[in-house]
Amino acid sequence: MTTDKTQPTPVNEAEPGATAPRTTLLRALTAAGGAAAVVSTFLAWTWTAEFPGDLTVYGYPGGLQLLTLVLGIATALFALAALGLKGLRWLTPSGSTQALRMLALGTFAVTWFTVIAIAVDLDGLVNLEPGGWIAAVATAAPVATTFLLPDDTRPLCRPEKLPSWADILIIAGVFALGLYVVNYGIQTDADHPEPFIGYLIAVAFAAVALIKAGLVSRISELTSAYRSTTLVAALITAIVFPFFQDKSSFTELGVNIAIFATVALGLNIVVGLAGLLDLGYVAFLGVGAYTAALVSGSTASTIDVRFPFWAAVITGGVVSLIFGVVIGAPTLRLRGDYLAIVTLGFGEIFRLAMLNLDGTSGPSVTNGPDGIPNIPPLEIFGFNFNDDHSIGGLSLDSNGNYYLLMLLVTIVVVLIFSRAGNSRIGRAWVAIREDETAATAMGINGFRVKLVAFALGATLAGVAGAVWAHFQSTVVPEQYVFAGPVPPNSTFLVAAVILGGMGTIGGPLLGATLLYLIPKKLEFLQDYQLLAFGIALILLMRFRPEGIVPNRRQQLEYHETGQLDVPGATGLKDGAVGVTKAEA
Amino acid sequence: MTTTTTSPVLTATGVTMRFGGLTAVQSVDLDVHPGEIVGLIGPNGAGKTTFFNCLTGLYIPTEGSVAYEGTVLPPKPHLVTQAGIARTFQNIRLFANMTVLENVLVGRHTRTKEGLWSALLRGPGFKRAEAASKARAMELLEFTGLADKADHLSRNLPYGEQRKLEIARALASDPGLLLLDEPTAGMNPQETRATEELVFAIRDLGTAVLVIEHDMRFIFNLCDRVAVLVQGQKLVEGTSEVVQSDERVIAAYLGTPFEGAPGAEEAAEVEAAEAGASEAGATTGAPQDETQRGTTARTEDGQ
Ligand SMILES: Nc1ncnc2c1ncn2[C@@H]1O[C@H](COP(=O)(O)OP(=O)(O)OP(=O)(O)O)[C@@H](O)[C@H]1O
Ligand SMILES: [Mg+2]
């Protein structure tokens, strides 16, 4: 993956020998700073193991020190790559300085966060061992040196063609790394917020650094060149996830992420592709869940039937579909914000109806606020989902079973999304979203096409709801609110779609993962979750309106062939960041 | 070149459009015959675009009816397009975040019928239909000279190419009648010439064209027949010569009664020499030069 010398570079940085001595010195200093940060992680930063992660040991790093270690190594490596060290130059296909700045800042932020957290948690700077001071100084130096470096951003270098087995190995390695990173985040200690905050800081800076270095674009070139390999790799990564978890609370996080990500993806058909703002989407999840619960054979169900699981799922989907059509048919004929208002109302009416169909205020269907508990555990072909299973020596707990089941639903929804989106009907959705008048003038029956999107979205939510009801083994009305501290709620889902990136597959998956995981790990945030949502969305709209994962169409804007005639293209060169995390 | 004995593709009868107290279009009758290029001109605010909107179902005419090949059209845009009338917009309305190719593929919507199920199942029929749509779309991009930009986002195209793309998108529905609303607005003279050729080529492929334009040279080069709309009413309709020499038209455009302009003869000669190459080449009307100048300025205001 050495760089192609024929590629013209705007800045005189192609030949390392040609760089100014000052630049070389600064890069060497940065590398040294990275190395010093690495060394500091082998020292003790505090004297007591009270701080989570045990940072008291001389000899090997632990807890938050690991993050400083990894970022320090990365800083050193990227600085060496910038110095032109043979064998490392593939690290910076589109320039090193911006990436170095991000890495240096990331190392600095993580380390200083740790040091300050030690001082605050344990009351006083006296709790810092010399190692902590060394780390603080060692990580501050590269920030200074990297910001003195000249910017050497250049168009992405065409790498030399590698043999395809090497490309495939790289893809596999990327997914393995992705799985490791996701696992690390999921397995951080939920009792203390510090490790997870440090993790978030480190991942955010590292991700931006990889984007700036051009590695993300390289990877997305590879993944689009080897599509089927990538899909298989993603699938395997997602399947092996539960086998790596040693606590059932971790696999539970996995199931919930899978469910909410799937529901967010279903909503993305409605919001992202067709441009219909559905503010009561969670009600369709509820319709599916309640329907499945009623026909599940639960002792609390008012209907005395016991459908097999597949039939319960189909029933949930179909009933949701019917509700979707009933809500959509009158509303979608109108233009403007009517749909948002009607769906908002529907969401609340659904919850109130479920509360009141308790036999006293209305007919006895749902047991009111008690909901429908005791949904019997799933059993498919003698495989009981509530038991632990051992497959080839690897153990799978109850949550793991449901995770794999939910993964199947996720895959189906991903397939539906990509196939529908990339077809005549999908183009019609996008056309309606872009300009409804022009779309109808091109012969698109706006009402029909929107109704299909709305009903499809409702059906997928219903299916996911049916699975969710079985996983939870109970349904209660209070789960299906417009906004609340606990997902799923309609605000959560819409926010996941917008935050992640509308109209993409990776976007809602990543958005739902982040929005679910962060409040889960940072318990103290829970009361302020809605406030945090709001702030996050405002910041996003200001700095990255296309969402974390940009749409392929928006990405095209920055495509090489389009660069000549792009008016006012900004310097964003982001690839599909979400791919590696999409399977979480 | 047109025989008025053939049955018309478009018959608009007594089309009237009122917005509250304002009558934007008043009892306009217009026929377009197969293979014809008909021009629709008139000062700003005359109701030309409103008339197009009535024809294509974007507005429901207060009175009157629109028939395509003898069948009265319901005022629903998608049914009008399905029947065979396609249009472009005065203020470009492309699907900005779709690629050039996708824009044209959307135009194929009425001529394909793959629904959600076939998209999900991806059978051989779906793949064949999709490939055929793509081939046809590329053909049209070839035809309009945009083939090498197929993968660009439409919003990144230069202005002139966006107008061409609108035409390609409209042609994708294989229309029998194409309505063009100011197709050369904002174009430079070369681009305008190219558009002229394009419209002739479209006509030669068997699509009748009804075109609104303020560029009089363009209109009189191109059109077999020109209708003039003033304050919502059709003032004159006839060949270029007839319209150009009609005093009421000139009055409507210049706002003053026509008095034989001195030097008009010379201006006309220059005009004729310039337009000599074109096949329509029938620019003899005295006041054309002035007319054009006056209206070009106005077009710029309008944009
Ligand atoms: N939706 C509407 N509601 C109210 N008035 C309208 C509407 N559409 C058009 N009009 C009015 O109808 C009249 C005709 O407008 P129209 O756009 O058809 O003119 P035009 O001949 O296309 O002019 P131009 O050459 O500037 O494009 C104008 O006075 C305009 O303000
Ligand atoms: Mg107009």
Side-chain angles (χ1 to χ4, degrees):
Chain A
M1 262 199 271
T2 45
T3 52
D4 188 345
K5 299 257 170 66
T6 57
Q7 187 82 22
T9 46
V11 189
N12 185 19
E13 293 288 336
E15 298 301 319
T19 50
R22 191 181 105 97
T23 308
T24 313
L25 179 70
L26 284 172
R27 285 175 176 164
L29 282 176
T30 310
V38 170
V39 171
S40 77
T41 62
F42 287 85
L43 309 173
W45 288 7
T46 180
W47 59 273
T48 158
E50 258 172 55
F51 190 77
D54 193 4
L55 311 183
T56 61
V57 192
Y58 282 91
Y60 62 88
L64 282 165
Q65 288 175 330
L66 279 174
L67 299 171
T68 303
L69 175 75
V70 171
L71 287 173
I73 292 176
T75 311
L77 285 180
F78 274 74
L80 290 176
L83 284 168
L85 197 73
K86 274 237 170 315
L88 281 183
R89 293 183 51 194
W90 58 270
L91 277 174
T92 56
S94 67
S96 61
T97 300
Q98 302 237 14
L100 272 176
R101 280 177 196 166
M102 282 301 138
L103 285 173
L105 271 180
T107 325
F108 172 78
V110 166
T111 311
W112 280 63
F113 166 73
T114 312
V115 167
I116 292 172
I118 290 173
V120 172
D121 285 6
L122 306 178
D123 284 326
L125 289 172
V126 292
N127 295 298
L128 287 174
E129 290 279 306
W133 295 106
I134 293 174
V137 176
T139 54
V143 175
T145 54
T146 50
F147 275 85
L148 291 173
L149 276 172
D151 194 355
D152 64 345
T153 305
R154 56 188 177 230
L156 201 64
C157 293
R158 288 268 144 259
E160 256 170 44
K161 187 92 187 75
L162 287 175
S164 54
W165 59 264
D167 282 343
I168 289 171
L169 264 184
I170 293 173
I171 293 174
V174 166
F175 274 96
L177 185 71
L179 178 64
Y180 181 80
V181 171
V182 171
N183 265 353
Y184 191 95
I186 286 193
Q187 296 181 352
T188 51
D189 188 355
D191 299 335
H192 304 283
E194 291 89 355
F196 191 75
I197 296 179
Y199 165 82
L200 278 185
I201 296 174
V203 169
F205 278 104
V208 179
L210 294 184
I211 291 168
K212 295 282 183 203
L215 280 178
V216 171
S217 319
R218 273 287 291 137
I219 298 297
S220 52
E221 266 172 30
L222 277 185
T223 52
S224 50
Y226 296 90
R227 278 199 56 125
S228 43
T229 313
T230 309
L231 289 179
V232 171
L235 195 61
I236 292 175
T237 318
I239 289 176
V240 299
F241 167 80
F243 296 103
F244 281 87
Q245 313 304 326
D246 45 8
K247 277 196 204 164
S248 73
S249 64
F250 297 153
T251 33
E252 191 190 343
L253 288 180
V255 190
N256 282 323
I257 288 175
I259 288 176
F260 301 143
T262 309
V263 180
L265 188 55
L267 177 63
N268 200 19
I269 294 180
V270 183
V271 175
L273 290 184
L276 306 168
L277 186 52
D278 185 343
L279 292 179
Y281 194 65
V282 82
F284 295 111
L285 186 79
V287 170
Y290 261 97
T291 309
L294 284 172
V295 300
S296 68
S298 153
T299 49
S301 166
T302 48
I303 306 177
D304 192 18
V305 289
R306 177 159 193 178
F307 280 19
F309 175 66
W310 60 266
V313 167
I314 292 177
T315 318
V318 168
V319 174
S320 245
L321 167 70
I322 293 168
F323 271 90
V325 172
V326 168
I327 303 292
T331 344
L332 292 169
R333 290 183 190 279
L334 307 168
R335 291 208 194 173
D337 304 324
Y338 299 100
L339 186 73
I341 296 164
V342 169
T343 49
L344 183 66
F346 169 64
E348 285 303 287
I349 290 169
F350 170 78
R351 186 174 61 87
L352 293 174
M354 293 304 108
L355 268 177
N356 287 309
L357 294 177
D358 58 356
T360 50
S361 337
S364 172
V365 185
T366 63
N367 301 330
D370 297 337
I372 304 173
N374 303 329
I375 298 170
L378 271 186
E379 196 165 314
I380 301 176
F381 301 127
F383 185 94
N384 188 311
F385 274 69
N386 277 28
D387 295 343
D388 288 3
H389 293 270
S390 173
I391 299 169
L394 295 162
S395 67
L396 197 61
D397 61 6
S398 153
N399 289 331
N401 299 329
Y402 280 103
Y403 170 83
L404 291 182
L405 178 68
M406 200 53 226
L407 188 62
L408 197 68
V409 180
T410 312
I411 292 168
V412 169
V413 175
V414 167
L415 266 182
I416 289 178
F417 185 95
S418 74
R419 291 194 160 184
N422 190 12
S423 71
R424 171 176 176 266
I425 188 107
R427 288 190 294 267
W429 288 337
V430 179
I432 294 263
R433 182 193 75 194
E434 291 287 310
D435 185 337
E436 184 158 356
T437 303
T440 53
M442 290 308 123
I444 294 170
N445 183 343
F447 168 66
R448 163 126 44 106
V449 165
K450 285 192 285 184
L451 189 60
V452 169
F454 194 72
L456 178 64
T459 312
L460 295 180
V463 168
V467 180
W468 199 49
H470 281 87
F471 167 63
Q472 297 256 307
S473 79
T474 173
V475 290
V476 289
E478 290 311 316
Q479 285 167 326
Y480 308 101
V481 293
F482 169 66
V486 197
N489 50 67
S490 296
T491 319
F492 171 89
L493 295 171
V494 173
V497 169
I498 295 174
L499 179 86
M502 290 206 277
T504 63
I505 293 177
L509 301 187
L510 181 67
T513 307
L514 290 178
L515 288 183
Y516 177 71
L517 205 54
I518 293 175
K520 265 278 171 222
K521 287 289 180 184
L522 307 179
E523 300 262 308
F524 70 92
L525 253 186
Q526 217 129 73
D527 295 341
Y528 305 100
Q529 201 197 22
L530 288 174
L531 180 70
F533 261 20
I535 294 174
L537 285 179
I538 290 171
L539 290 179
L540 191 83
M541 287 303 118
R542 171 64 188 79
F543 293 106
R544 201 168 164 78
E546 72 271 36
I548 301 175
V549 181
N551 192 325
R552 181 185 60 87
R553 297 188 169 91
Q554 285 160 333
Q555 231 175 306
L556 268 176
E557 202 182 348
Y558 316 118
H559 200 264
E560 274 166 78
T561 55
Q563 267 171 357
L564 283 178
D565 48 31
V566 179
T570 50
L572 296 163
K573 291 178 218 69
D574 308 333
V577 195
V579 183
T580 49
K581 291 196 106 184
E583 70 282 355
Chain B
M1 63 183 70
T2 322
T3 48
T4 39
T5 49
T6 53
S7 69
V9 268
L10 175 81
T11 323
T13 16
V15 171
T16 302
M17 186 75 219
R18 289 193 201 95
F19 300 108
L22 175 82
T23 309
V25 178
Q26 198 175 353
S27 318
V28 174
D29 298 324
L30 190 73
D31 286 357
V32 178
H33 296 269
E36 231 184 346
I37 301 177
V38 178
L40 186 61
I41 60 172
N44 289 102
K48 307 179 293 295
T49 301
T50 308
F51 181 61
F52 264 28
N53 288 344
C54 292
L55 295 183
T56 52
L58 286 179
Y59 290 162
I60 300 168
T62 324
E63 282 160 32
S65 68
V66 180
Y68 179 79
E69 289 179 345
T71 358
V72 172
L73 294 172
K76 285 258 170 37
H78 66 274
L79 295 178
V80 170
T81 311
Q82 173 115 46
I85 301 181
R87 70 170 291 175
T88 65
F89 292 90
Q90 177 176 359
N91 46 347
I92 298 174
R93 300 190 83 147
L94 289 169
F95 306 120
N97 288 315
M98 297 178 92
T99 65
V100 168
L101 180 64
E102 284 171 330
N103 266 277
V104 184
L105 285 173
V106 170
R108 295 268 332 136
H109 192 88
T110 49
R111 300 295 172 246
T112 46
K113 48 185 182 304
E114 281 63 42
L116 182 64
W117 282 117
S118 63
L120 295 184
L121 300 175
R122 301 257 143 154
F126 174 84
K127 287 186 181 137
R128 227 175 301 124
E130 198 77 339
S133 290
K134 285 225 167 86
R136 174 75 180 127
M138 281 312 293
E139 212 174 276
L140 286 168
L141 289 179
E142 221 55 89
F143 179 68
T144 45
L146 293 171
D148 54 329
K149 301 247 174 149
D151 289 330
H152 289 221
L153 284 188
S154 67
R155 64 158 171 221
N156 291 342
L157 292 186
Y159 204 70
E161 291 184 349
Q162 293 199 5
R163 290 226 177 262
K164 278 192 196 162
L165 177 55
E166 273 224 331
I167 296 177
R169 183 180 70 174
L171 287 175
S173 64
D174 300 333
L177 171 69
L178 178 64
L179 308 182
L180 301 174
D181 198 343
E182 304 198 11
T184 70
M187 284 187 175
N188 63 32
Q190 287 91 326
E191 287 173 324
T192 306
R193 280 292 308 165
T195 309
E196 222 170 279
E197 296 304 321
L198 185 64
V199 175
F200 279 127
I202 292 167
R203 196 265 315 274
D204 294 343
L205 288 176
T207 303
V209 179
L210 177 60
V211 52
I212 297 177
E213 189 47 75
H214 284 295
D215 182 338
M216 291 305 146
R217 188 187 311 206
F218 178 86
I219 283 285
F220 292 133
N221 277 350
L222 206 58
C223 297
D224 306 315
R225 205 144 50 78
V226 176
V228 185
L229 219 56
V230 175
Q231 292 185 352
Q233 281 169 304
K234 191 167 81 178
L235 198 63
V236 198
E237 183 186 335
T239 58
S240 301
E241 293 82 1
V242 173
V243 170
Q244 281 176 82
S245 49
D246 192 292
E247 294 187 10
R248 287 170 303 171
V249 176
I250 298 145
Y253 266 100
L254 297 182
T256 49
F258 173 69
E259 286 152 24
E265 293 292 316
E266 288 92 317
E269 269 165 37
V270 176
E271 280 300 316
E274 278 178 10
S278 83
E279 51 208 285
T283 48
T284 42
Q288 191 204 332
D289 200 29
E290 283 172 37
T291 316
Q292 191 193 332
R293 256 184 229 144
T295 51
T296 316
R298 254 178 266 180
T299 314
E300 276 156 14
D301 292 344
Q303 288 299 315

